[in-house]
Amino acid sequence: VQTCALPILYLPYRPEVGQTWTRQDQQWKVVSLNASLKTPKCNYTGLLKIMIDDQKYAYFLKGVGLVADQDAESGDLNYWLESVKIHL
């Protein structure tokens, strides 16, 4: 049986724009609490946008997690989640 350790991501409980913290020798900074992002399959709004080490942005959707990350210099996007359907 093979087991895998899942990565743990620590984010502020109530993030504020400009808030910073260090995690694993990386400097994290909240850039936006209401960012938008367009992927090939979905347009997201209300995203938490974080700058990591002045090198990339990470976009998080509340209740879901990481949607995408973006190279700060080139603008290249890596999509981690392209669409979400939530059934209540």
Side-chain angles (χ1 to χ4, degrees):
V1 175
Q2 183 178 11
T3 60
C4 297
L6 296 175
I8 296 173
L9 180 63
Y10 295 96
L11 295 173
Y13 178 68
R14 294 180 193 258
E16 296 179 10
V17 173
Q19 185 175 2
T20 62
W21 67 99
T22 302
R23 175 79 178 129
Q24 297 178 339
D25 296 326
Q26 293 179 319
Q27 185 69 30
W28 294 54
K29 181 178 182 179
V30 176
V31 177
S32 175
L33 302 175
N34 194 25
S36 299
L37 180 70
K38 183 177 180 178
T39 71
K41 294 190 177 189
C42 190
N43 292 327
Y44 293 101
T45 58
L47 298 173
L48 173 63
K49 183 178 180 181
I50 295 176
M51 168 69 85
I52 304 171
D53 275 345
D54 293 327
Q55 296 176 7
K56 71 176 180 177
Y57 296 104
Y59 297 87
F60 296 91
L61 181 60
K62 185 175 183 177
V64 175
L66 182 64
V67 174
D69 62 47
Q70 181 179 34
D71 185 279
E73 188 174 325
S74 70
D76 291 342
L77 281 165
N78 294 308
Y79 304 110
W80 296 99
L81 181 66
E82 292 192 6
S83 64
V84 174
K85 289 185 180 179
I86 300 173
H87 301 279
L88 301 176

